[in-house]
Amino acid sequence: MIRKIPSFIKIYESLIKIPTISSQDKKLDQSNKILIDLLSNYFSELKFTVKIQNIPNTKKFNMLASFGNGKGGLLLSGHTDTVDFDANLWTKDPFKLTEKNNKLYGLGAVDMKGFFAFILDVLSTKSIKKIKKPIYVLATANEETDMSGARYFIKSTNIKPDCIVIGEPTSLQLVKAHKGHISYSIDVIGKTGHSSSPSNGINSIEIMYLIIKKLLKLKVYLRKKYFHKEFSISYPTMNFSSINGGNAINRICALCNLKFEIRPIPGLTLTQIEILVQEVLQKIFKKWPNRIFLKNLFFSVPPYEFPKESKIIKKIENSCQLTPITANYCTEAPFLEKIAPTLILGPGSIEQAHHADEYLDCSFIKPTKNIIKTLIKKFCY
Ligand SMILES: [Zn+2]
């Protein structure tokens, strides 16, 4: 078979070379269009049908490449964006794939542009002409910020694969469930005045104290009420992340801000959390109208769990010799699972993701290619 696309390493290099940073900071946020175009060219060379979609009102794009017809099949998915990097901490060029000590360094080497190099390499070495069910490859945008790529894709597609595998760096462990994430900011606006006359002001720290007391009650309630035996931390967690307020010792504190997050286990929905938070704080809200402002920070991600009744997981466990586990980080799985049962399985360790000198350990190369081949064999033939 004549290879139509560059070698594994050359593809890897070409993907790392294109900056695709996603950031809440508009100055740092970049379009992923050049990378999407490059991936489209590679998949077109392999005779895939390629569709590119623009996420409305953004400079971001998704790509869906398809090969074969019919129902079911396999969808391999990855995100095209990376987080920002700290140039002072990196000892290597983040945009140049550097091979050293049996490691491949570069921004996105494990999280997770490299996954596309694996898929492309397998597809270029394996003849897939005779597949009976389609192979899809999805490349999403904005996973590192609001997951708008995956959110938009599920609304706009009608494909129904039998299984989706997201190639996030799980050290080639099969992740079948993860926690969600929801974060809040609360502002308490009191009334300032001289500390010697407390009745002239409203101290926002005192109100925040009452709020924290209620939230701590909720924290205990969540821990007692919800349990998932397969998670190392088997209950929903709550963390107070920061508190700020006050400026002078002799002034009544007018403004106090608290930020906190909750990580729900599967079985506790984001809506339930929203209701619980409102419920515990309701009395304080009523007592202090227009003085307490609660809002969501960032974008929430629901918890996710592979459907217990599905037989697909056994199929992957047996054919790839893997044992399913749970994870504490978030992925696009809770969105993609809306169209098909979704698992997370990919090369490299999450320990290296979002870190300076991010790298893929080369020991993952061979087993990853084998797993991708096996998945195609099991789901498309
Ligand atoms: Zn990732």
Side-chain angles (χ1 to χ4, degrees), residues 75 87 91 93 95 132 199-200 229 343:
L75 169 63
T91 64
D93 181 346
F95 302 110
K132 295 199 174 76
S199 57
N200 288 343
K229 67 174 190 313
L343 290 157

Side-chain angles (χ1 to χ4, degrees), residues 269-281:
T269 66
L270 296 180
T271 314
Q272 281 171 305
I273 293 176
E274 299 277 7
I275 293 168
L276 286 167
V277 169
Q278 288 290 338
E279 259 175 25
V280 295
L281 298 179

Side-chain angles (χ1 to χ4, degrees), residues 79 81 110-112 143-144 168-169 330 350 353-354:
H79 61 84
D81 58 328
V110 286
D111 189 18
M112 57 170 290
E143 190 271 347
E144 300 290 2
E168 291 275 9
C330 295
I350 194 74
H354 302 196

